[in-house]
mmCIF file of all heavy atoms in Angstrom:
data_model
loop_
_atom_site.group_PDB
_atom_site.id
_atom_site.type_symbol
_atom_site.label_atom_id
_atom_site.label_comp_id
_atom_site.label_asym_id
_atom_site.label_seq_id
_atom_site.Cartn_x
_atom_site.Cartn_y
_atom_site.Cartn_z
ATOM 1 N N GLN A 1 -45.081 12.086 61.116
ATOM 2 C CA GLN A 1 -46.536 11.907 61.082
ATOM 3 C C GLN A 1 -46.896 10.481 60.679
ATOM 4 O O GLN A 1 -47.707 9.815 61.327
ATOM 5 C CB GLN A 1 -47.166 12.897 60.098
ATOM 6 C CG GLN A 1 -47.134 14.353 60.543
ATOM 7 C CD GLN A 1 -47.669 15.264 59.444
ATOM 8 O OE1 GLN A 1 -47.003 15.507 58.444
ATOM 9 N NE2 GLN A 1 -48.885 15.742 59.634
ATOM 10 N N CYS A 2 -46.294 10.019 59.596
ATOM 11 C CA CYS A 2 -46.614 8.702 59.062
ATOM 12 C C CYS A 2 -46.160 7.597 60.020
ATOM 13 O O CYS A 2 -46.891 6.627 60.273
ATOM 14 C CB CYS A 2 -45.966 8.525 57.694
ATOM 15 S SG CYS A 2 -46.681 7.193 56.714
ATOM 16 N N GLU A 3 -44.986 7.747 60.590
ATOM 17 C CA GLU A 3 -44.465 6.708 61.471
ATOM 18 C C GLU A 3 -45.299 6.578 62.735
ATOM 19 O O GLU A 3 -45.528 5.462 63.223
ATOM 20 C CB GLU A 3 -43.001 6.983 61.815
ATOM 21 C CG GLU A 3 -42.342 5.826 62.537
ATOM 22 C CD GLU A 3 -40.827 5.919 62.556
ATOM 23 O OE1 GLU A 3 -40.234 6.480 61.604
ATOM 24 O OE2 GLU A 3 -40.236 5.420 63.523
ATOM 25 N N THR A 4 -45.780 7.688 63.282
ATOM 26 C CA THR A 4 -46.630 7.594 64.472
ATOM 27 C C THR A 4 -47.933 6.874 64.139
ATOM 28 O O THR A 4 -48.466 6.132 64.973
ATOM 29 C CB THR A 4 -46.940 8.974 65.081
ATOM 30 O OG1 THR A 4 -47.555 9.819 64.102
ATOM 31 C CG2 THR A 4 -45.694 9.638 65.622
ATOM 32 N N ILE A 5 -48.449 7.074 62.935
ATOM 33 C CA ILE A 5 -49.676 6.379 62.525
ATOM 34 C C ILE A 5 -49.451 4.878 62.501
ATOM 35 O O ILE A 5 -50.238 4.106 63.055
ATOM 36 C CB ILE A 5 -50.151 6.895 61.151
ATOM 37 C CG1 ILE A 5 -50.751 8.296 61.287
ATOM 38 C CG2 ILE A 5 -51.156 5.929 60.524
ATOM 39 C CD1 ILE A 5 -51.051 8.973 59.958
ATOM 40 N N PHE A 6 -48.371 4.436 61.874
ATOM 41 C CA PHE A 6 -48.136 2.997 61.752
ATOM 42 C C PHE A 6 -47.784 2.360 63.098
ATOM 43 O O PHE A 6 -48.196 1.227 63.384
ATOM 44 C CB PHE A 6 -47.056 2.714 60.709
ATOM 45 C CG PHE A 6 -47.588 2.667 59.301
ATOM 46 C CD1 PHE A 6 -47.728 3.823 58.555
ATOM 47 C CD2 PHE A 6 -47.953 1.458 58.726
ATOM 48 C CE1 PHE A 6 -48.222 3.781 57.256
ATOM 49 C CE2 PHE A 6 -48.449 1.399 57.435
ATOM 50 C CZ PHE A 6 -48.591 2.568 56.690
ATOM 51 N N LYS A 7 -47.041 3.066 63.931
ATOM 52 C CA LYS A 7 -46.748 2.540 65.259
ATOM 53 C C LYS A 7 -48.029 2.404 66.079
ATOM 54 O O LYS A 7 -48.254 1.378 66.745
ATOM 55 C CB LYS A 7 -45.755 3.450 65.982
ATOM 56 C CG LYS A 7 -44.323 3.332 65.486
ATOM 57 C CD LYS A 7 -43.406 4.288 66.233
ATOM 58 C CE LYS A 7 -41.947 4.062 65.832
ATOM 59 N NZ LYS A 7 -41.036 5.032 66.462
ATOM 60 N N ALA A 8 -48.862 3.419 66.060
ATOM 61 C CA ALA A 8 -50.113 3.373 66.810
ATOM 62 C C ALA A 8 -51.038 2.292 66.255
ATOM 63 O O ALA A 8 -51.754 1.615 67.007
ATOM 64 C CB ALA A 8 -50.802 4.737 66.782
ATOM 65 N N PHE A 9 -51.018 2.105 64.943
ATOM 66 C CA PHE A 9 -51.808 1.043 64.320
ATOM 67 C C PHE A 9 -51.368 -0.324 64.855
ATOM 68 O O PHE A 9 -52.200 -1.160 65.227
ATOM 69 C CB PHE A 9 -51.640 1.126 62.805
ATOM 70 C CG PHE A 9 -52.372 0.061 62.029
ATOM 71 C CD1 PHE A 9 -53.748 -0.071 62.118
ATOM 72 C CD2 PHE A 9 -51.677 -0.784 61.171
ATOM 73 C CE1 PHE A 9 -54.418 -1.050 61.389
ATOM 74 C CE2 PHE A 9 -52.329 -1.752 60.434
ATOM 75 C CZ PHE A 9 -53.710 -1.890 60.545
ATOM 76 N N GLY A 10 -50.073 -0.559 64.914
ATOM 77 C CA GLY A 10 -49.571 -1.816 65.455
ATOM 78 C C GLY A 10 -50.001 -2.029 66.893
ATOM 79 O O GLY A 10 -50.454 -3.117 67.269
ATOM 80 N N ARG A 11 -49.878 -0.999 67.710
ATOM 81 C CA ARG A 11 -50.261 -1.114 69.117
ATOM 82 C C ARG A 11 -51.764 -1.357 69.272
ATOM 83 O O ARG A 11 -52.190 -2.150 70.121
ATOM 84 C CB ARG A 11 -49.876 0.160 69.867
ATOM 85 C CG ARG A 11 -48.391 0.442 69.940
ATOM 86 C CD ARG A 11 -47.658 -0.478 70.879
ATOM 87 N NE ARG A 11 -48.097 -0.360 72.265
ATOM 88 C CZ ARG A 11 -47.475 -0.917 73.294
ATOM 89 N NH1 ARG A 11 -46.380 -1.624 73.099
ATOM 90 N NH2 ARG A 11 -47.936 -0.783 74.513
ATOM 91 N N ALA A 12 -52.573 -0.671 68.470
ATOM 92 C CA ALA A 12 -54.020 -0.850 68.547
ATOM 93 C C ALA A 12 -54.425 -2.255 68.108
ATOM 94 O O ALA A 12 -55.307 -2.874 68.717
ATOM 95 C CB ALA A 12 -54.720 0.214 67.701
ATOM 96 N N LEU A 13 -53.797 -2.762 67.038
ATOM 97 C CA LEU A 13 -54.074 -4.131 66.599
ATOM 98 C C LEU A 13 -53.745 -5.129 67.702
ATOM 99 O O LEU A 13 -54.500 -6.076 67.956
ATOM 100 C CB LEU A 13 -53.258 -4.465 65.357
ATOM 101 C CG LEU A 13 -53.693 -3.868 64.025
ATOM 102 C CD1 LEU A 13 -52.711 -4.272 62.932
ATOM 103 C CD2 LEU A 13 -55.112 -4.308 63.650
ATOM 104 N N ARG A 14 -52.590 -4.922 68.332
ATOM 105 C CA ARG A 14 -52.170 -5.827 69.407
ATOM 106 C C ARG A 14 -53.208 -5.867 70.522
ATOM 107 O O ARG A 14 -53.591 -6.950 70.994
ATOM 108 C CB ARG A 14 -50.821 -5.365 69.945
ATOM 109 C CG ARG A 14 -50.317 -6.132 71.155
ATOM 110 C CD ARG A 14 -48.975 -5.561 71.591
ATOM 111 N NE ARG A 14 -48.581 -6.055 72.894
ATOM 112 C CZ ARG A 14 -47.510 -5.635 73.554
ATOM 113 N NH1 ARG A 14 -46.720 -4.727 73.025
ATOM 114 N NH2 ARG A 14 -47.222 -6.127 74.739
ATOM 115 N N MET A 15 -53.693 -4.711 70.938
ATOM 116 C CA MET A 15 -54.684 -4.660 72.008
ATOM 117 C C MET A 15 -55.982 -5.344 71.597
ATOM 118 O O MET A 15 -56.544 -6.155 72.350
ATOM 119 C CB MET A 15 -54.968 -3.204 72.405
ATOM 120 C CG MET A 15 -56.011 -3.064 73.498
ATOM 121 S SD MET A 15 -56.489 -1.346 73.804
ATOM 122 C CE MET A 15 -54.995 -0.696 74.534
ATOM 123 N N ALA A 16 -56.471 -5.046 70.399
ATOM 124 C CA ALA A 16 -57.760 -5.572 69.960
ATOM 125 C C ALA A 16 -57.736 -7.079 69.748
ATOM 126 O O ALA A 16 -58.730 -7.773 69.987
ATOM 127 C CB ALA A 16 -58.189 -4.872 68.677
ATOM 128 N N ALA A 17 -56.597 -7.599 69.283
ATOM 129 C CA ALA A 17 -56.498 -9.025 68.968
ATOM 130 C C ALA A 17 -56.143 -9.874 70.174
ATOM 131 O O ALA A 17 -56.220 -11.107 70.113
ATOM 132 C CB ALA A 17 -55.461 -9.234 67.867
ATOM 133 N N GLU A 18 -55.767 -9.244 71.285
ATOM 134 C CA GLU A 18 -55.360 -9.989 72.476
ATOM 135 C C GLU A 18 -56.510 -10.819 73.036
ATOM 136 O O GLU A 18 -57.683 -10.433 72.955
ATOM 137 C CB GLU A 18 -54.877 -9.029 73.574
ATOM 138 C CG GLU A 18 -53.447 -8.593 73.414
ATOM 139 C CD GLU A 18 -53.009 -7.667 74.531
ATOM 140 O OE1 GLU A 18 -53.870 -7.100 75.238
ATOM 141 O OE2 GLU A 18 -51.787 -7.498 74.688
ATOM 142 N N HIS A 19 -56.161 -11.952 73.615
ATOM 143 C CA HIS A 19 -57.144 -12.774 74.311
ATOM 144 C C HIS A 19 -57.521 -12.103 75.627
ATOM 145 O O HIS A 19 -56.664 -11.622 76.364
ATOM 146 C CB HIS A 19 -56.584 -14.166 74.588
ATOM 147 C CG HIS A 19 -56.372 -14.981 73.357
ATOM 148 N ND1 HIS A 19 -57.401 -15.603 72.690
ATOM 149 C CD2 HIS A 19 -55.255 -15.265 72.652
ATOM 150 C CE1 HIS A 19 -56.921 -16.248 71.642
ATOM 151 N NE2 HIS A 19 -55.621 -16.048 71.589
ATOM 152 N N ASP A 20 -58.804 -12.063 75.909
ATOM 153 C CA ASP A 20 -59.331 -11.530 77.160
ATOM 154 C C ASP A 20 -59.753 -12.719 78.028
ATOM 155 O O ASP A 20 -60.747 -13.391 77.725
ATOM 156 C CB ASP A 20 -60.520 -10.609 76.877
ATOM 157 C CG ASP A 20 -61.071 -9.931 78.118
ATOM 158 O OD1 ASP A 20 -60.720 -10.353 79.235
ATOM 159 O OD2 ASP A 20 -61.858 -8.982 77.965
ATOM 160 N N GLU A 21 -58.992 -12.993 79.081
ATOM 161 C CA GLU A 21 -59.256 -14.177 79.902
ATOM 162 C C GLU A 21 -60.657 -14.159 80.501
ATOM 163 O O GLU A 21 -61.277 -15.214 80.693
ATOM 164 C CB GLU A 21 -58.211 -14.283 81.009
ATOM 165 C CG GLU A 21 -56.811 -14.590 80.497
ATOM 166 C CD GLU A 21 -55.803 -14.707 81.614
ATOM 167 O OE1 GLU A 21 -56.211 -14.587 82.798
ATOM 168 O OE2 GLU A 21 -54.607 -14.924 81.312
ATOM 169 N N ARG A 22 -61.195 -12.989 80.769
ATOM 170 C CA ARG A 22 -62.535 -12.900 81.374
ATOM 171 C C ARG A 22 -63.625 -13.201 80.358
ATOM 172 O O ARG A 22 -64.775 -13.444 80.735
ATOM 173 C CB ARG A 22 -62.746 -11.515 81.970
ATOM 174 C CG ARG A 22 -61.829 -11.217 83.147
ATOM 175 C CD ARG A 22 -62.072 -9.823 83.674
ATOM 176 N NE ARG A 22 -63.434 -9.662 84.176
ATOM 177 C CZ ARG A 22 -64.003 -8.477 84.404
ATOM 178 N NH1 ARG A 22 -63.328 -7.357 84.174
ATOM 179 N NH2 ARG A 22 -65.235 -8.408 84.853
ATOM 180 N N ALA A 23 -63.261 -13.139 79.060
ATOM 181 C CA ALA A 23 -64.261 -13.367 78.004
ATOM 182 C C ALA A 23 -63.929 -14.609 77.184
ATOM 183 O O ALA A 23 -64.342 -14.721 76.036
ATOM 184 C CB ALA A 23 -64.334 -12.141 77.094
ATOM 185 N N ALA A 24 -63.205 -15.537 77.776
ATOM 186 C CA ALA A 24 -62.741 -16.718 77.050
ATOM 187 C C ALA A 24 -63.902 -17.474 76.426
ATOM 188 O O ALA A 24 -64.898 -17.776 77.089
ATOM 189 C CB ALA A 24 -61.967 -17.628 77.995
ATOM 190 N N GLY A 25 -63.774 -17.761 75.137
ATOM 191 C CA GLY A 25 -64.766 -18.579 74.436
ATOM 192 C C GLY A 25 -66.011 -17.858 74.020
ATOM 193 O O GLY A 25 -66.930 -18.474 73.464
ATOM 194 N N THR A 26 -66.095 -16.550 74.311
ATOM 195 C CA THR A 26 -67.305 -15.818 73.938
ATOM 196 C C THR A 26 -67.014 -14.810 72.834
ATOM 197 O O THR A 26 -65.900 -14.302 72.704
ATOM 198 C CB THR A 26 -67.898 -15.067 75.160
ATOM 199 O OG1 THR A 26 -66.947 -14.073 75.594
ATOM 200 C CG2 THR A 26 -68.182 -16.025 76.298
ATOM 201 N N ILE A 27 -68.031 -14.507 72.046
ATOM 202 C CA ILE A 27 -67.948 -13.491 71.007
ATOM 203 C C ILE A 27 -68.224 -12.138 71.647
ATOM 204 O O ILE A 27 -69.265 -11.960 72.281
ATOM 205 C CB ILE A 27 -68.964 -13.748 69.870
ATOM 206 C CG1 ILE A 27 -68.717 -15.116 69.228
ATOM 207 C CG2 ILE A 27 -68.930 -12.632 68.846
ATOM 208 C CD1 ILE A 27 -67.495 -15.186 68.367
#
C-alpha cells in the first residue's frame, strides 16, 4: 500500500513539473 503511494507520487510529480512545449513561457 505504502510503496504504491510513493511510486505514484513520484510519477505524478514528474508529470506536473514537466515542461509543456505548447505552453512555453506562460503561467
Side-chain angles (χ1 to χ4, degrees):
Q1 290 175 286
C2 198
E3 189 165 329
T4 57
I5 287 171
F6 276 86
K7 285 179 174 176
F9 178 60
R11 296 287 298 190
L13 285 177
R14 175 180 168 186
M15 179 187 291
E18 278 181 342
H19 292 282
D20 184 346
E21 292 181 2
R22 294 179 62 196
T26 64
I27 301 287

